[in-house]
Amino acid sequence: MRNVHRRHRAARRALGLVALPFLAATGAAPAAAERPQNCLAPGADCTLAEAAHQSGIFVGAAVGNELPDLEIAGVLAHFNAMTTENAFKWGSLSSQEGVYDFGAADRLVDFARRNQLRLRAHTLVWHRDGFLGTPQYVRDAVAKAEDPAARLRELMRQHIETVVARYRGRVDLYDVVNEPLSLFTSGFDTEPAFGFAANVFFETLGVEYIDLAFRWTHAVDPRAKLFLNEIVWDPHLGDPKADAFLALASELVARGVPIDGVGIQTHGQLSLTSPFFPSDSESFAEYMRAFAALGLRLEITELDVPLPLLAGASDPLAAQAEVYRRVVRACATASNCSAVTTWNVHDGRTWLDFVWPTSILAPNEPLLLDASLRPKPAYFATRDALLERCEPPSELPGPTRVAWTLLRRLGAACSRAYPRPFPPPWRP
Ligand code: XIL
């Protein structure tokens, strides 16, 4: 019962905050300047952003090119990080060699900086043309070139240097390479599959295309954190694609490539095999820790859980909340997991409503906020799961556990690995 009251209060409070963000977006005092409350204090009623701050885990959302008002309001009231949904994709930025339109990217970078949101720029190199990943001129140039490898290296290098130099010091983190592996197998896309062309970067340069992209990005902005992002349907040790991704990351580290971490997209519901991804938190957390052993951070980068797939449950919204809880709990228990990002801000605009096959099921309502920015059960499950990072480590002896718990109740940061002030600068 108490929980229900807390939830209603949080929902009211979150809605009340909706007006503030408009001020922030138009240049008045940023909403994030408000001092966050201690989410562990009795009677506390935290927003997701406050729980994110306290747990030391960034919580972000993917924001569209047009930066609609409702997304501005949602992000500022509930999140402390954001990802550019499309604005940094090569195919969004440039339709002709050497010609760039930075309008949307500039808008999103300015918005993030003005409001002290951690900014993930997605993505510099992605072989999928249909999804704005790679413009057609890249493929055409490579096809016509006498020395395709040299030509592609030239195009990639120019692209990376142009974009990263423009935003040097203003982007916290890049998804340098997106989805290097095939969707449903553990190799690279050497043939067209599922309506997408083969991976022109891999075909032309081999796996070295990944190394080059990271090295060139790092050379231009050595302070930006660099991530390799991948869709892993079933992230646990022993799953072929999950293992292949871990092996790929491990090879990059062994070759001295400047990589800080990996992103796991999730989007598990699109998988043919594991629609209720992941089946448990502990095996996912164990998979995360395998990256910690390589010195890498891990972030959940594109989370969404479509409601229609849970229609068989007696309470689909509660079932959706449980999927979110499983994923976020895994992150809270693995200390190298530093962020969770939902793919879009609210149920009123989700890519799943436009992309086949989930478009057939629209409305998918896969996110934490409904189309009016009201927090859903999944919102509270996510918030509570984040705060599980505040639980004392199981190895602590009795009296130390009590002291630990007390300190956290007084507001000490929960994360042992990455305590950060609020708003969190991404400069650990
Ligand atoms: C999607 C966007 O959400 C859509 O708006 C766009 O039309 C296609 O791309 N994995 C990724 C993201 O890494 O870039 C994709 O984003 C979703 C799947």
Side-chain angles (χ1 to χ4, degrees), residues 98-343:
V99 178
Y100 279 80
D101 175 355
F102 288 110
D106 283 356
R107 193 157 54 238
L108 295 186
V109 172
D110 289 347
F111 169 69
R113 291 288 63 108
R114 199 164 53 239
N115 294 290
Q116 297 168 298
L117 296 157
R118 190 193 75 159
L119 177 62
R120 177 182 209 103
H122 170 86
T123 173
L124 293 170
V125 178
W126 187 22
H127 68 281
R128 289 199 204 294
D129 37 7
F131 271 2
L132 302 167
T134 305
Q136 187 57 39
Y137 73 79
V138 173
R139 282 178 199 285
D140 294 345
V142 171
K144 282 202 299 242
E146 254 174 51
D147 182 345
R151 183 75 173 108
L152 186 55
R153 263 196 228 104
E154 180 190 30
L155 285 167
M156 252 176 83
R157 185 173 191 145
Q158 275 168 1
H159 171 65
I160 289 174
E161 289 181 347
T162 304
V163 176
V164 180
R166 182 178 183 90
Y167 297 107
R168 184 174 20 230
R170 294 200 296 149
V171 162
D172 298 300
L173 187 153
Y174 283 96
D175 280 333
V176 178
V177 174
N178 193 34
E179 294 184 1
L181 300 176
S182 302
L183 282 178
F184 294 106
T185 69
S186 32
F188 290 82
D189 277 324
T190 48
E191 315 244 320
F194 299 100
F196 295 109
N199 183 341
V200 65
F201 301 97
F202 181 78
E203 294 268 83
T204 315
L205 300 170
V207 73
E208 205 206 350
Y209 90 87
I210 304 177
D211 301 35
L212 291 172
F214 276 81
R215 291 190 197 285
W216 290 332
T217 307
H218 182 70
V220 180
D221 189 352
R223 295 182 75 197
K225 301 292 172 191
L226 308 189
F227 276 61
L228 180 67
N229 198 44
E230 183 54 273
I231 186 157
V232 182
W233 308 111
D234 212 350
H236 66 263
L237 297 173
D239 171 77
K241 183 161 183 185
D243 286 351
F245 185 53
L246 178 61
L248 177 60
S250 156
E251 285 157 21
L252 294 177
V253 170
R255 290 200 291 270
V257 172
I259 176 173
D260 296 285
V262 297
I264 304 286
Q265 288 183 19
T266 67
H267 294 313
Q269 68 287 339
L270 298 179
S271 147
L272 304 177
T273 54
S274 55
F276 299 112
F277 151 97
S279 41
D280 69 279
S281 296
E282 190 34 51
S283 61
F284 190 9
E286 187 188 18
Y287 183 62
M288 293 181 182
R289 288 189 209 106
F291 288 91
L294 300 172
L296 296 178
R297 290 172 186 233
L298 184 144
E299 304 202 342
I300 292 162
T301 49
E302 305 189 17
L303 186 53
D304 46 17
V305 182
L307 208 52
L309 290 189
L310 301 161
S314 58
D315 181 347
L317 282 171
Q320 182 183 51
E322 282 319 301
V323 179
Y324 271 97
R325 191 191 302 280
R326 279 208 295 276
V327 174
V328 179
R329 175 175 282 159
C331 181
T333 55
S335 67
N336 64 321
C337 180
S338 41
V340 174
T341 297
T342 60
W343 204 248

Side-chain angles (χ1 to χ4, degrees), residues 75-89:
V75 169
L76 292 177
H78 299 286
F79 298 89
N80 66 350
M82 63 176 263
T83 299
T84 58
E85 181 184 10
N86 289 313
F88 271 74
K89 290 174 183 167

